[in-house]
Amino acid sequence: MALISPISSPNGKTFNQKLFSRIRVAIESDVPHIYKLMQQLFVYHNITHLLKSNESSIASGIFNPKFPNLSPVTTLLIEVSAIPFQSCLNDKTSSKEVDLSMPLIDEESEQFRVVKYDQHDVFIAGYVMFYPCFSSFFENPVFHMENFFIRECYRRKGFGKWLFSTMASEAARMGFSSIDWYASDWNESGLDFYKHMGATISDDFRVLSLDGKALEAFEDDSN
Amino acid sequence: MALISPISSPNGKTFNQKLFSRIRVAIESDVPHIYKLMQQLFVYHNITHLLKSNESSIASGIFNPKFPNLSPVTTLLIEVSAIPFQSCLNDKTSSKEVDLSMPLIDEESEQFRVVKYDQHDVFIAGYVMFYPCFSSFFENPVFHMENFFIRECYRRKGFGKWLFSTMASEAARMGFSSIDWYASDWNESGLDFYKHMGATISDDFRVLSLDGKALEAFEDDSN
């Protein structure tokens, strides 16, 4: 339910009129936020029973791999604030401002507050996570998009398109041949979004996996 | 059509009674055979229009990546011979012999002859290709199985199970959490095989991709 012109909300941060935002590369201190976003992503897809990672494994998986030589994982975050960003953490940033037709309330703002900024409130609105990999289909390697998620209150503001485009632009400029990913069949708005971005949806590929006890059964396999 | 007790075939190699085989890790000189197997794999799946790699790009993708830091790709080959293997190329080998209830003719044997053995005829019967990668689903990384193929004349001999098990055993022993891959929806015998291996087939994930001109369109994207 949209409220008319609230100044603030006891349940979180309220943005009036304008939302300033930027995209930056995640660093290790962002992992607690990334894992919360990941949990929301799995809830959204109704696949929480498949989430067997944890905050620590995500941290080591992205920033300190226990397994050598894995393709590096890149996570791009969207940060939002009520006032313009003064500085950039690094060169891989871009910024954008969004005019709000009505106030936007982020009821979970405290969970997604970026703690390193003490001058003004900055919150994480969404993320995309991807890594480069070999492909037998193409001449050059491809990106595999592992996660893509915009928090509910920040949807329909163009953030998804901006974040996806930033990743796709990086892939195209670096000479990668494709981006591939999975999406849920029932997620019509998601599939429509991806089609609008130019994606091809395979008609007949199924996704298979072997894990848990079924994989462990091969540990002592004598072939 | 099976022939009764042929001694040899003008169109290729004939195996009588026994087939000796082993699995070994592919090396760079195997690339021409790997690419021929890959072409047959794409023909089998009726997706030759999606094959945009070439022998040279496969060679550099697996053995001399132009893009730094990509997860290393492992290719395991099944070699077959009419007489036992005397020596092993490296430690990552295992061998097996198959009793033939009727002679086996490999009509394409010359295309798949392994040239480095001058003492006796050795041919490539199939391959599996996989690489390790990060996963948001699991505590540890996973294997992505990129290709899996047994040549037509060598099917129903247990080679597929043996090759798949060798990869799965490696994943389990190294502490990887899962193996994931795609398969064609219409490929009932393939899906049955994977189910028999313990695989889970996702009901609702679709495979999406962004490539070609649709990806190139993002190259000059100003976000």
Side-chain angles (χ1 to χ4, degrees):
Chain A
M1 300 281 282
L3 302 175
I4 305 301
S5 299
I7 302 304
S8 67
S9 162
N11 296 319
K13 175 72 180 175
T14 300
F15 296 96
N16 297 294
Q17 294 170 332
K18 271 193 190 296
L19 195 56
F20 295 90
S21 58
R22 70 171 179 185
I23 291 175
R24 68 168 171 88
V25 176
I27 57 176
E28 193 162 356
S29 61
D30 293 311
V31 168
H33 288 140
I34 293 171
Y35 193 65
K36 278 185 204 135
L37 291 164
M38 200 175 277
Q39 288 173 309
Q40 293 198 349
L41 168 65
F42 276 68
V43 167
Y44 178 78
H45 286 91
N46 198 24
I47 51 171
T48 52
H49 60 291
L50 299 180
L51 184 62
K52 289 164 186 168
S53 60
N54 53 60
E55 196 177 303
S56 160
S57 73
I58 295 300
S60 65
I62 301 177
F63 294 103
N64 300 297
K66 286 184 289 183
F67 292 75
N69 300 325
L70 291 195
S71 293
V73 178
T74 298
T75 307
L76 300 179
L77 300 174
I78 292 198
E79 286 180 331
V80 293
S81 174
I83 61 173
F85 286 92
Q86 298 298 316
S87 63
C88 292
L89 280 177
N90 56 48
D91 290 335
K92 294 207 169 190
T93 58
S94 55
S95 63
K96 182 168 274 191
E97 58 183 87
V98 176
D99 291 312
L100 300 171
S101 56
M102 64 179 70
L104 185 160
I105 302 172
D106 181 353
E107 294 187 348
E108 298 176 314
S109 57
E110 286 313 303
Q111 288 185 56
F112 291 97
R113 177 188 292 277
V114 183
V115 293
K116 63 179 157 303
Y117 306 115
D118 50 9
Q119 295 165 319
H120 62 98
D121 293 340
V122 173
F123 308 96
I124 304 290
Y127 77 124
V128 63
M129 185 182 278
F130 55 92
Y131 57 80
C133 49
F134 170 83
S135 169
S136 58
F137 288 64
F138 295 101
E139 192 164 349
N140 284 331
V142 302
F143 277 2
H144 176 74
M145 181 166 76
E146 177 73 12
N147 290 167
F148 181 69
F149 188 70
I150 304 292
R151 290 176 51 218
E152 160 67 34
C153 64
Y154 296 106
R155 291 180 200 151
R156 294 166 293 278
K157 304 274 178 292
F159 287 142
K161 185 180 176 195
W162 184 32
L163 191 58
F164 187 91
S165 300
T166 300
M167 170 189 61
S169 176
E170 184 86 351
R173 286 174 194 166
M174 290 175 74
F176 284 78
S177 289
S178 180
I179 302 172
D180 68 42
W181 66 98
Y182 311 150
S184 294
D185 202 12
W186 51 262
N187 185 8
E188 285 182 30
S189 66
L191 294 176
D192 282 346
F193 168 78
Y194 291 134
K195 273 188 252 182
H196 186 67
M197 292 289 101
T200 303
I201 304 177
S202 162
D203 282 332
D204 65 8
F205 283 138
R206 301 288 293 276
V207 178
L208 288 87
S209 61
L210 179 76
D211 57 59
K213 292 196 186 306
L215 177 58
E216 285 165 24
F218 287 94
E219 190 167 346
D220 297 319
D221 195 83
S222 59
N223 300 319
Chain B
M1 299 286 280
L3 301 176
I4 306 301
S5 299
I7 303 305
S8 66
S9 163
N11 296 318
K13 174 74 179 175
T14 299
F15 296 96
N16 296 297
Q17 294 170 331
K18 271 193 190 294
L19 194 55
F20 296 89
S21 57
R22 70 171 179 184
I23 292 176
R24 68 167 171 89
V25 176
I27 57 176
E28 193 161 358
S29 61
D30 293 311
V31 168
H33 289 141
I34 293 171
Y35 193 65
K36 276 183 205 137
L37 291 164
M38 199 176 279
Q39 288 174 308
Q40 293 197 348
L41 169 64
F42 276 68
V43 167
Y44 178 79
H45 286 91
N46 198 24
I47 51 171
T48 50
H49 59 290
L50 299 180
L51 184 62
K52 289 163 186 169
S53 60
N54 52 60
E55 196 177 303
S56 160
S57 73
I58 294 300
S60 65
I62 301 177
F63 295 103
N64 300 296
K66 286 184 289 183
F67 292 75
N69 300 325
L70 291 195
S71 293
V73 179
T74 298
T75 307
L76 300 179
L77 300 174
I78 291 198
E79 287 180 332
V80 292
S81 173
I83 61 172
F85 286 91
Q86 299 298 316
S87 63
C88 291
L89 279 178
N90 55 48
D91 290 335
K92 296 206 169 191
T93 57
S94 55
S95 63
K96 183 169 272 189
E97 57 183 88
V98 176
D99 290 313
L100 299 171
S101 56
M102 64 178 69
L104 185 160
I105 303 172
D106 180 353
E107 294 188 349
E108 299 175 313
S109 57
E110 286 313 303
Q111 288 185 57
F112 291 97
R113 177 189 291 277
V114 183
V115 292
K116 64 180 157 303
Y117 307 114
D118 50 9
Q119 295 165 319
H120 61 99
D121 292 340
V122 173
F123 307 96
I124 304 289
Y127 78 124
V128 63
M129 185 183 279
F130 56 92
Y131 57 80
C133 50
F134 170 82
S135 168
S136 58
F137 288 65
F138 296 100
E139 192 164 349
N140 285 331
V142 302
F143 277 2
H144 176 75
M145 182 167 75
E146 177 73 11
N147 290 167
F148 180 69
F149 187 70
I150 304 291
R151 291 176 52 218
E152 221 280 316
C153 63
Y154 296 106
R155 290 180 201 152
R156 294 167 291 279
K157 304 276 178 290
F159 288 142
K161 185 181 175 193
W162 184 33
L163 192 58
F164 187 92
S165 300
T166 300
M167 170 188 63
S169 176
E170 183 87 349
R173 286 174 196 167
M174 291 175 73
F176 284 78
S177 290
S178 180
I179 302 172
D180 69 40
W181 66 98
Y182 310 149
S184 294
D185 203 13
W186 52 260
N187 185 7
E188 284 181 31
S189 66
L191 294 176
D192 283 346
F193 168 78
Y194 291 134
K195 273 188 253 183
H196 186 66
M197 292 288 102
T200 304
I201 304 177
S202 164
D203 282 332
D204 64 9
F205 283 137
R206 301 288 294 276
V207 178
L208 287 86
S209 60
L210 179 76
D211 57 58
K213 292 196 186 307
L215 178 59
E216 286 165 23
F218 287 94
E219 189 167 347
D220 298 319
D221 194 82
S222 58
N223 301 317

